[in-house]
Amino acid sequence: MDLAERVPAGDRLALARLLTLLENDQTEGHDALAALYARTGQAQIIGITGASGTGKSTLVNKLALGLRQGEGSPTVGIVAVDPSSPYTGGAILGDRIRMRDLAGDPGVFIRSMASRGALGGLAHTTFSVVEALDAAGFELILIETVGAGQTEVDIARTAHTTIVVDAPGLGDDVQAIKAGILEIADVLVVNKADLPGADQAMQLLRASLQLAHPTRAEWSHHGPGALAPAPAVECLWIPPILATVATQGQGIEALIGALEQHRAHLLKTGELASRQRERVRAELDGLLRDQLAARWRAAQPDGRFEAALERVLRREIAPRRAAVELASPEGA
Ligand SMILES: Nc1nc2c(ncn2[C@@H]2O[C@H](COP(=O)(O)OP(=O)(O)O)[C@@H](O)[C@H]2O)c(=O)[nH]1
Ligand SMILES: [Mg+2]
């Protein structure tokens, strides 16, 4: 039996093998995923991002444990992406704790990804890994990324719901990073609420949120019935700010509640479909670009690109014009 049959049948070894093939950008993996593609699109995808050390791994672990409790609980796939330090400090510690708590639950599958393995580009490889887990039947997929760069923001953007995690006691440099990722937050969490400074962190987030979403903040403030013609208030989502102590499992139930509410909001407003559409559009667009570039490169006579490069370096031609010339058929 091949991978495309074994993976949906619940064969975990086959799934692990498929993920490795995808991480290594192997044709066999892409072929298997292509055969499985019709099975995807079922999972609820949740991104968890934030600075290193805020407690994301611990939170994801507790979230998975919480989600797995009770009747009819969803199966959970976890993808941990930590390009900065896959083998050091918090990442590996968090992963170890996770392994211990969740080990033995057949309804949970954990995959840690190292960026060095992601030959096809980290964001793209992560999409593929998530699609494979989706095809394997995991109903809820948690993606942990370190919110440090564009790649992580791109990954978070593909989730249906994005949780941005903050914690007290982080430096000013971290503060600057946060401004960018605040815009993608559907749910904000101040973890380590047991530490001093948690209240200030909550206040700071509330203030930043007001800057990032003036309209939303305004509405949360004045509510419906204000002077301006009311936008459909039920269509607005105001990211809640929740406090958690992940190490003790505090605030996890409220977080799960917020995720359910956001899910309901996405369904009600049709935003779920539009987010999915945007995700597929971005994926298709990126793949098309790769295909066209590869085809173009294969069709070039040796040295054409280098010759153009030399001319640009000699200032004989501007880069944009050189690119236009290179993209047009030779001699045109
Ligand atoms: N005091 C406190 N420590 C926490 C909490 N959550 C996580 N930690 C600790 O913070 C460190 C980093 O956690 P980790 O989950 O690896 O963070 P990540 O880098 O964001 O994934 C670990 O030592 C955790 O035990 C919390 O709620 N309170
Ligand atoms: Mg981590």
Side-chain angles (χ1 to χ4, degrees):
M1 248 204 315
D2 67 2
L3 288 176
E5 289 169 50
R6 287 163 61 199
V7 167
D11 183 335
R12 292 310 168 80
L13 279 176
L15 177 58
R17 164 122 185 93
L18 173 59
L19 299 186
T20 302
L21 288 169
L22 292 171
E23 274 200 275
N24 293 329
D25 206 17
Q26 301 278 303
T27 311
E28 191 188 342
H30 296 308
D31 288 348
L33 191 55
L36 286 167
Y37 196 72
R39 293 180 175 272
T40 65
Q42 304 302 312
Q44 180 182 358
I45 303 169
I46 295 168
I48 297 95
T49 194
S52 188
T54 48
K56 296 178 299 298
S57 295
T58 316
L59 196 66
V60 164
N61 170 39
K62 288 291 157 60
L63 204 50
L65 281 171
L67 287 161
R68 290 291 298 154
Q69 257 146 45
E71 289 279 308
S73 60
T75 51
V76 178
I78 299 172
V79 184
V81 190
D82 193 345
S84 55
S85 56
Y87 300 113
T88 55
I92 194 91
L93 176 67
D95 290 348
R96 266 201 211 122
I97 294 168
R98 194 142 67 186
M99 299 297 177
R100 195 190 58 206
D101 289 354
L102 295 169
D105 181 347
V108 177
F109 187 93
I110 303 161
R111 181 73 174 200
S112 285
M113 287 184 31
S115 58
R116 56 167 183 82
L119 293 181
L122 189 59
H124 187 251
T125 304
T126 306
F127 301 156
S128 299
V129 164
V130 168
E131 273 165 4
L133 290 174
D134 188 353
F138 289 96
E139 293 160 302
L140 197 143
I141 298 169
L142 302 169
I143 315 171
E144 176 192 338
T145 60
V146 181
Q150 188 57 45
T151 305
E152 292 69 44
V153 171
D154 285 347
I155 294 169
R157 230 188 263 282
T158 67
H160 300 135
T161 300
T162 299
I163 306 172
V164 172
V165 184
D166 190 16
L170 301 171
D172 283 348
D173 47 335
V174 180
Q175 219 60 48
I177 294 168
K178 237 164 36 195
I181 58 170
L182 209 57
E183 315 232 334
I184 58 166
D186 299 305
V187 176
L188 287 154
V189 167
V190 173
N191 187 42
K192 305 196 180 183
D194 54 321
L195 297 185
D199 286 342
Q200 285 108 293
M202 301 270 289
Q203 271 163 26
L204 204 65
L205 274 185
R206 220 166 279 137
S208 314
L209 197 62
Q210 233 148 18
L211 286 175
H213 301 290
T215 340
R216 291 187 189 179
E218 187 91 333
W219 271 94
S220 73
H221 226 84
H222 302 295
L227 292 177
V233 131
E234 65 274 15
C235 292
L236 291 177
W237 174 259
I238 298 150
I241 305 174
L242 306 173
T244 59
V245 182
T247 38
Q248 286 155 42
Q250 280 175 30
I252 302 300
E253 262 177 58
L255 180 55
I256 292 173
L259 294 176
E260 281 166 5
Q261 275 174 24
H262 188 247
R263 171 94 181 158
H265 165 84
L266 290 177
L267 286 168
K268 198 174 65 185
T269 56
E271 212 181 313
L272 190 67
S274 58
R275 280 190 187 203
Q276 257 152 2
R277 190 181 188 84
E278 280 319 301
R279 182 196 158 165
V280 174
R281 182 194 297 280
E283 187 181 13
L284 197 56
D285 191 66
L287 289 169
L288 178 62
R289 223 173 301 173
D290 290 351
Q291 286 291 320
L292 290 175
R295 195 175 294 179
W296 178 86
R297 253 180 244 117
Q300 290 307 298
D302 281 348
R304 188 165 176 240
F305 183 90
E306 294 302 319
L309 176 64
E310 291 304 326
R311 289 179 63 209
V312 173
L313 285 172
R314 287 197 301 267
R315 300 291 187 274
E316 288 171 19
I317 185 168
R320 180 174 291 271
R321 299 213 45 182
V324 170
E325 272 185 25
L326 280 171
S328 62
E330 208 189 356

